[in-house]
C-alpha cells in the first residue's frame, strides 16, 4: 500500500480527520479556540507550540480521551459524539502513543501487545500472537517479548507502546510527545520507528519538540498558541518563512 | 601507560566480613559494660521464661482437657456417623492443595508441607481415634498423589482453578447435605469447623461485594456512588458485634416470615456485610494508587470499561493491596470468636463450654492455650503466604 500512497498526491485523497470549529474549556479556562483542521489519509501532521498551548488537549480530544464542548470531529467519517458506540469505533481506528509510555506493568511485552487485538478485535490467540511478533520485529525488539515492561529501557518501552498501538491495525496514529521522557541516546531509535511508519503511509498526528523530525517527515506543520492554530503550512514555509509574529517568536526560542 | 592502568586493575573479592562467633558476640552483645549488663539481664529473664513455659507445657499442664474433648473442639456436635462427610470435604481440599503444589510449586509447596506436617502430627498423637488416623493417612497420601499428578502436566492449571472455585459449594454440600444427603442442621456445627466455615464463606462472599462497592464509590452515577459511600461509612462506623446482632435480629424482620434463615447463615451474612465495607476501602486504595495513564492507555486501545477494569486496572489494584487485604482476612478470621455472643459455639466458645463442665475444673489455661495455638497457626500461615505472594508477584516494583 505504501508505494501507491507515495505516488498519489495528498490533494486527491479523502480526509481521515476532520475538525470543525472545535472549542474546549477546562472550567473557565478556554483551552481550545475555534480549531479547524483536516488531515488527509496518509498525511503526517506535526503539531508544535509552547508549553500549555493546548497541544495535548487537542490531540486527546481526537480519540475522546478529553471531551469538548463545541464543534465537530469526524474520524474516518465517524462523528465523534457522546455515543459510546461511536467512541469505541473511533478508538478502534486510532492508536495513541503517550509521553510516559503507559505500558501495562503486570503483563509481559507480548501480552501488552496482544491484549486489545484479542479482546477488542476478537482475534484468535494464534493470530494475535503472530501479528504481535511481526510488530515487535518491526520495532526491533522481538527478543524482549517475554520480559516485563519494567525490565526494558525507556526507548524500548516506547517502541513496544508503538507496537501495541499498531497491533489494533489503526488507520490513524496519534503521538503526544513520544520522545520527551527519553534520554537523548534513545530518542533516535524511537524517531526511526516513527519515520518508517510515516513512510509506510500511516496517517499521523504528532506533537513533538523534535524539529529535525518535523522538517524531515511532516507533510504539514501546525503551530498552536493559547489554544489557537496560529500558523499552518508545509515545513519549509513555516520554518524559513513564518508569517505570524508568534511563530517567529516560538521558532527563535526553539532553534 | 594511562590506558593500561585503568584496564589492568585487578578485580578484588569483597573484604571478608565473617568474624566468627566470638567476634560477633563481642561486637553485638558485649561491646561495653552497659551492653554486657543488658545481655546478662535479658539472658536470665529469657531462661526463666523458657524454663517456666517448658515445665508447664510438658509437666504441669493437664492436656487431657484437650485430648478428651478433641472432637468437640474440632467439629462440635457434628454427628459421629456423618463425620465422613467433613473428612470428604477436607480430602477434596487436601487433594487440591497437592495438585496445586505440583502445578505451581513455590508457595503452594510450603503450604502443602505445613498441612502435611500438621496432619502427620495429629495422626500420631495418642488420643486420636483409629478412624481419624486412617482419614489423616489418606489425606497425606492424597497430598503426595496430587503433587505427583500436578507435576505431570501444566495443562492442569485451568481445571485446578475451576476445582478451587467449586470447592466451597461442594464442601458445603457434603457438610450440610442440601437435601440430598441426610441434613446435618447447623445447630450441630461447632468448634474449629464452624470457625473455618464462617471465616471462609464470609471472606469469599465479601470479595466481589467489596470490589463492586469500591467501584461504586468511584462511579459517576450519583445513586450508585452515594449508596456505596453511605454503606461503607455506615458499616465502618458500627462495631462488628453490633453488625452481628443486627444480622441476627433484624434480618428476619426485613425478610418477613417467608424466608427463614438459620443462625449460622445469618452470622455469615453479618460477617460478609462487615468485611465487604473494609475490603472496599482497601481496593479503593489500590485503585487510587494507579496512575491515570493506565486508564488512558486502556481506553485508547479501545477496551470498554468492563474489559479495562478486568484486565488492566483490577489486577494491578488488587496486587497493590494484597498485604492490606490479607491483614483484613486475618482479622476476620480472629473476629469469628464473636459469634459466641449470638449463641453459636465456635472453637473458643467450645473451649469455654468445656471448662464450665465440673469434670474439667481448673483447666482454663490448657484450653485457652490450645485455642490460641490453633489460631496462631492459621493466622501465621495466612500472613506467611501473603508475604510469599507479594514477593513472587513483585508488589512494589512497577
Ligand atoms: N485536566 C485539566 N484540568 C484543568 N486544566 C487543564 C487540564 N489539562 C490541561 N489543562 C490546562 O490546559 C492548558 C493546555 O494544556 P495542554 O496539556 O494541552 O498543553 P500542551 O500544549 O500539551 O503543553 P506541554 O507542551 O507542556 O505538554 C494548560 O493551561 C493546562 O494547564
Ligand atoms: Mg502536552
Amino acid at each position: 500500500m505504501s508505494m501507491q500512497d507515495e505516488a498519489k498526491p495528498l490533494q486527491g485523497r479523502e480526509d481521515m480527520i476532520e475538525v470543525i470549529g472545535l472549542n474546549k474549556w477546562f472550567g473557565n479556562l478556554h483551552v481550545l479556540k475555534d480549531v479547524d483542521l483536516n488531515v488527509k489519509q496518509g498525511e503526517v501532521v506535526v503539531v508544535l507550540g509552547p508549553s500549555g498551548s493546548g497541544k495535548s488537549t487537542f490531540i486527546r480530544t481526537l480519540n475522546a480521551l478529553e471531551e469538548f464542548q463545541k464543534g465537530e470531529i469526524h474520524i474516518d467519517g465517524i462523528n465523534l459524539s457522546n455515543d459510546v458506540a461511536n467512541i469505541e469505533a473511533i478508538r478502534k481506528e486510532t492508536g495513541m502513543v503517550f509521553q510516559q509510555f503507559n505500558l501495562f506493568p503486570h503483563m509481559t511485552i507480548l501480552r501488552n501487545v496482544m491484549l486489545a487485538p484479542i479482546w477488542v478485535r476478537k482475534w484468535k490467540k494464534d493470530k494475535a500472537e503472530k501479528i504481535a511478533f511481526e510488530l515487535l520485529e518491526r520495532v526491533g525488539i522481538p527478543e524482549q517479548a517475554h520480559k516485563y515492561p519494567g525490565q526494558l529501557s525507556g526507548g524500548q518501552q516506547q517502541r513496544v507502546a508503538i507496537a501495541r498501538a499498531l497491533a489494533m491495525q489503526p488507520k490513524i496514529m496519534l503521538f503526544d510527545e513520544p520522545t520527551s521522557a527519553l534520554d537523548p541516546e534513545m530518542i533516535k531509535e524511537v524517531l526511526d520507528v516513527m519515520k518508517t511508519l510515516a513512510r509506510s503511509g500511516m496517517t499521523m498526528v504528532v506533537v513533538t519538540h523534535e524539529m529535525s523530525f518535523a522538517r524531515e517527515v511532516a507533510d504539514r506543520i501546525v503551530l498552536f498558541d493559547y489554544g489557537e492554530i496560529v500558523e499552518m503550512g508545509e515545513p519549509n514555509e513555516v520554518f524559513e518563512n513564518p508569517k505570524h509574529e508568534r511563530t517567529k517568536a516560538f521558532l527563535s526560542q526553539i532553534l | 601507560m594511562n590506558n593500561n592502568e585503568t584496564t589492568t586493575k585487578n578485580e578484588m573479592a569483597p573484604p571478608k566480613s565473617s568474624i566468627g562467633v566470638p567476634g560477633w558476640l563481642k561486637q553485638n552483645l558485649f561491646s561495653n559494660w552497659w551492653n554486657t549488663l543488658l545481655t546478662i539481664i535479658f539472658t536470665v529473664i529469657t531462661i526463666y521464661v523458657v524454663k517456666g513455659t517448658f515445665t508447664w507445657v510438658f509437666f504441669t499442664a493437664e492436656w487431657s482437657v484437650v485430648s478428651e474433648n478433641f472432637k468437640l473442639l474440632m467439629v462440635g456436635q457434628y454427628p459421629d456417623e456423618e463425620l465422613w462427610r467433613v473428612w470428604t470435604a477436607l480430602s477434596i481440599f487436601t487433594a487440591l492443595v497437592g495438585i496445586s503444589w505440583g502445578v505451581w510449586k513455590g508457595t503452594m509447596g510450603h503450604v502443602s508441607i505445613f498441612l502435611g506436617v500438621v496432619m502427620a502430627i495429629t495422626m500420631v498423637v495418642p488420643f486420636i481415634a483409629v478412624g481419624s488416623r486412617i482419614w489423616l493417612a489418606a489425606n497425606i497420601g492424597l497430598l503426595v498423589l496430587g503433587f505427583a499428578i500436578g507435576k505431570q502436566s501444566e495443562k492442569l492449571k485451568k481445571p485446578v482453578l475451576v476445582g478451587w472455585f467449586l470447592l466451597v459449594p461442594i464442601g458445603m454440600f457434603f457438610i450440610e447435605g442440601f437435601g440430598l444427603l441426610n441434613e446435618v442442621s447447623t445447630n450441630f456445627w461447632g468448634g474449629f469447623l464452624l470457625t473455618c466455615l464462617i471465616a471462609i464463606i464470609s471472606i469469599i462472599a465479601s470479595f466481589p461485594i467489596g470490589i463492586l462497592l469500591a467501584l461504586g464509590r468511584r462511579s459517576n452515577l450519583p445513586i450508585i456512588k452515594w449508596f456505596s459511600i453511605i454503606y461503607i461509612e455506615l458499616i465502618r462506623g458500627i462495631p462488628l458485634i453490633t453488625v452481628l446482632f443486627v444480622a441476627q435480629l433484624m434480618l428476619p424482620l426485613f425478610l418477613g416470615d417467608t424466608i427463614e434463615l438459620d443462625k449460622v447463615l445469618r452470622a455469615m451474612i453479618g460477617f460478609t456485610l462487615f468485611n465487604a465495607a473494609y475490603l472496599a476501602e482497601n481496593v479503593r486504595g489500590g485503585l487510587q494508587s494507579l496512575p491515570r495513564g493506565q486508564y488512558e492507555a486502556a481506553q485508547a486501545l479501545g477496551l470498554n470499561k468492563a474489559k479495562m477494569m478486568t484486565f488492566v486496572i483490577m489486577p494491578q489494584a488488587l496486587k497493590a493491596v494484597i498485604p492490606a487485604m490479607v491483614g483484613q482476612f486475618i482479622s476476620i478470621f480472629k473476629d469469628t470468636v464473636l459469634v459466641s455472643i449470638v449463641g453459636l459455639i465456635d472453637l473458643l466458645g467450645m473451649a469455654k463450654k468445656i471448662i464450665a463442665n465440673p469434670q474439667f475444673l481448673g483447666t482454663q489455661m490448657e484450653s485457652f492455650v490450645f485455642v490460641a495455638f490453633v489460631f496462631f497457626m492459621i493466622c501465621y500461615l495466612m500472613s506467611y503466604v501473603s508475604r510469599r505472594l507479594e514477593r513472587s508477584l513483585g508488589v512494589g516494583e512497577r
Side-chain angles (χ1 to χ4, degrees):
Chain A
M1 73 179 195
S2 64
M3 282 295 111
Q4 265 182 357
D5 286 347
E6 294 281 345
K8 207 167 156 190
L10 281 172
Q11 281 78 356
R13 300 199 205 147
E14 55 190 278
D15 285 332
M16 276 309 254
I17 303 175
E18 239 185 311
V19 179
I20 308 162
L22 180 67
N23 278 275
K24 175 172 177 65
W25 288 263
F26 279 120
N28 287 328
L29 186 65
H30 198 175
V31 273
L32 294 177
K33 302 167 187 163
D34 287 324
V35 175
D36 296 300
L37 180 71
N38 287 14
V39 182
K40 301 244 179 253
Q41 199 231 315
E43 194 178 9
V44 177
V45 172
V46 167
V47 179
L48 303 176
S51 181
S53 57
K55 308 181 295 291
S56 297
T57 310
F58 171 69
I59 200 172
R60 289 155 54 85
T61 54
L62 296 181
N63 66 348
L65 286 183
E66 301 280 0
E67 328 183 294
F68 56 93
Q69 283 78 25
K70 218 177 126 198
E72 275 177 50
I73 297 179
H74 302 272
I75 304 288
D76 194 22
I78 307 166
N79 180 26
L80 203 170
S81 60
N82 280 334
D83 185 355
V84 177
N86 280 7
I87 291 182
E88 276 178 16
I90 284 173
R91 284 177 179 165
K92 270 194 203 174
E93 308 272 289
T94 53
M96 187 166 210
V97 176
F98 301 85
Q99 185 175 349
Q100 298 298 338
F101 329 136
N102 295 345
L103 294 179
F104 305 134
H106 60 301
M107 297 178 185
T108 60
I109 299 306
L110 186 62
R111 290 204 36 225
N112 261 278
V113 179
M114 286 165 56
L115 180 73
I118 288 179
W119 291 102
V120 182
R121 286 254 183 259
K122 312 274 190 215
W123 291 351
K124 287 263 154 34
K125 194 174 165 244
D126 302 353
K127 181 181 177 193
E129 193 169 313
K130 188 168 153 275
I131 293 189
F133 269 113
E134 280 170 20
L135 283 166
L136 289 176
E137 195 94 39
R138 202 162 136 196
V139 300
I141 34 179
E143 71 283 3
Q144 314 283 2
H146 297 290
K147 289 192 181 164
Y148 285 85
Q151 298 167 298
L152 268 56
S153 74
Q156 291 173 325
Q157 289 192 49
Q158 193 62 299
R159 285 185 281 154
V160 173
I162 295 174
R164 180 177 70 175
L166 289 175
M168 283 291 287
Q169 304 195 325
K171 295 185 179 162
I172 301 166
M173 285 287 285
L174 308 173
F175 293 83
D176 189 1
E177 303 202 28
T179 56
S180 296
L182 295 177
D183 293 336
E185 70 269 21
M186 295 171 187
I187 291 178
K188 185 173 173 295
E189 64 190 46
V190 172
L191 289 182
D192 284 346
V193 169
M194 290 168 63
K195 282 177 197 167
T196 320
L197 189 60
R199 287 196 200 104
S200 78
M202 177 64 79
T203 310
M204 292 164 60
V205 179
V206 184
V207 176
T208 186
H209 293 296
E210 294 296 325
M211 290 305 145
S212 62
F213 178 84
R215 270 177 200 278
E216 191 183 331
V217 183
D219 295 307
R220 217 167 3 139
I221 304 277
V222 169
L223 195 119
F224 268 75
D225 201 10
Y226 294 106
E228 287 176 290
I229 294 183
V230 293
E231 182 122 14
M232 177 146 71
E234 289 188 6
N236 281 339
E237 254 175 74
V238 173
F239 285 120
E240 313 306 338
N241 195 6
K243 297 193 186 66
H244 205 285
E245 279 309 312
R246 285 198 252 167
T247 317
K248 286 177 195 162
F250 174 73
L251 289 177
S252 70
Q253 267 174 10
I254 282 239
L255 297 176
Chain B
M1 182 70 213
N2 254 344
N3 261 348
N4 266 351
E5 222 173 49
T6 53
T7 50
T8 55
K9 220 167 221 172
N10 284 329
E11 286 192 11
M12 275 197 301
K16 279 236 163 68
S17 69
S18 62
I19 44 176
V21 177
W24 185 90
L25 283 176
K26 188 152 189 293
Q27 191 176 331
N28 290 287
L29 298 176
F30 300 101
S31 52
N32 54 35
W33 70 268
W34 171 237
N35 265 351
T36 309
L37 186 68
L38 277 182
T39 303
I40 291 171
I41 291 177
F42 278 106
T43 310
V44 169
I45 294 178
T46 310
I47 290 175
Y48 187 76
V49 170
V50 168
K51 184 163 165 274
T53 313
F54 187 85
T55 329
W56 184 81
V57 168
F58 289 98
F59 301 107
T60 323
E62 283 286 342
W63 290 115
S64 63
V65 63
V66 173
S67 58
E68 281 175 32
N69 298 300
F70 196 68
K71 192 222 142 190
L72 278 177
L73 287 166
M74 287 297 117
V75 295
Q77 308 274 8
Y78 205 92
D80 280 339
E81 64 276 13
E82 304 287 355
L83 264 183
W84 64 272
R85 287 154 56 172
V86 179
W87 282 114
T88 308
L90 180 67
S91 304
I92 299 174
F93 169 77
T94 311
L96 277 173
V97 171
I99 300 178
S100 307
W101 175 20
V103 175
W104 282 287
K105 317 274 178 340
T107 310
M108 280 321 284
H110 296 224
V111 173
S112 306
I113 289 166
F114 174 87
L115 193 66
V117 168
V118 169
M119 284 176 172
I121 291 176
T122 320
M123 195 173 81
V124 298
V125 182
F127 54 80
I128 300 295
V130 179
S132 304
R133 282 181 216 263
I134 295 172
W135 274 106
L136 284 167
N139 265 284
I140 295 174
L142 273 176
L143 201 61
V144 177
L145 186 69
F147 174 67
I149 294 173
K151 219 170 58 167
Q152 298 302 320
S153 149
E154 286 270 304
K155 286 202 192 96
L156 282 172
K157 272 185 182 172
K158 267 195 190 140
V160 174
L161 278 179
V162 173
W164 279 110
F165 274 106
L166 293 179
L167 173 65
V168 170
I170 292 178
M172 289 309 284
F173 161 73
F174 275 108
I175 289 167
E176 134 80 66
F178 291 145
L180 284 174
L181 298 170
N182 290 335
E183 188 183 324
V184 177
S185 147
T186 55
N187 294 337
F188 296 107
W189 303 6
F192 186 57
L193 175 68
L194 182 65
T195 300
C196 287
L197 288 179
I198 292 179
I200 292 170
I201 299 282
S202 53
I203 285 171
I204 291 175
S206 61
F207 208 79
I209 304 178
I211 288 178
L212 287 179
L213 282 169
L215 293 176
R217 192 164 183 169
R218 291 161 61 93
S219 163
N220 295 326
L221 300 172
I223 300 178
I224 294 179
K225 180 176 177 169
W226 284 106
F227 171 81
S228 306
I229 292 182
I230 291 172
Y231 177 87
I232 292 169
E233 295 306 331
L234 196 68
I235 295 281
R236 297 207 316 152
I238 302 177
L240 175 55
I241 299 188
T242 317
V243 175
L244 285 179
F245 274 127
V246 170
Q248 290 298 323
L249 302 174
M250 308 267 284
L251 270 182
L253 283 183
F254 292 148
L255 295 175
D257 297 334
T258 43
I259 310 168
E260 206 178 317
L261 297 177
D262 78 44
K263 246 181 174 173
V264 171
L265 189 54
R266 276 180 276 164
M268 285 173 177
I269 292 176
F271 274 103
T272 302
L273 295 180
F274 183 81
N275 198 21
Y278 282 86
L279 213 54
E281 285 299 272
N282 286 339
V283 174
R284 191 168 69 101
L287 289 173
Q288 270 168 351
S289 73
L290 291 189
R292 208 174 64 158
Q294 292 292 308
Y295 293 83
E296 290 177 348
Q299 285 169 345
L301 284 170
L303 295 169
N304 64 22
K305 211 155 185 182
K307 285 172 189 157
M308 170 176 81
M309 281 296 164
T310 314
F311 299 115
V312 178
I313 304 301
M314 269 306 158
Q316 296 187 65
L318 293 181
K319 202 169 106 178
V321 295
I322 288 177
M325 275 194 308
V326 175
Q328 178 62 21
F329 294 159
I330 289 176
S331 99
I332 279 292
F333 186 77
K334 292 188 293 185
D335 286 345
T336 51
V337 297
L338 289 174
V339 294
S340 59
I341 286 176
V342 292
L344 297 175
I345 303 162
D346 71 318
L347 178 59
L348 180 65
M350 190 56 81
K352 274 159 76 182
K353 246 190 143 111
I354 289 167
I355 55 182
N357 181 340
Q359 193 194 340
F360 298 106
L361 214 60
T363 54
Q364 288 106 318
M365 273 279 255
E366 289 81 353
S367 307
F368 291 147
V369 165
F370 174 74
V371 171
F373 178 72
V374 172
F375 271 102
F376 173 77
M377 295 285 271
I378 303 289
C379 294
Y380 183 78
L381 183 66
M382 281 201 253
S383 134
Y384 177 79
V385 168
S386 132
R387 265 180 289 142
R388 297 266 316 182
L389 213 58
E390 273 169 53
R391 230 184 313 156
S392 63
L393 292 177
V395 175
E397 301 160 23
R398 279 193 57 90

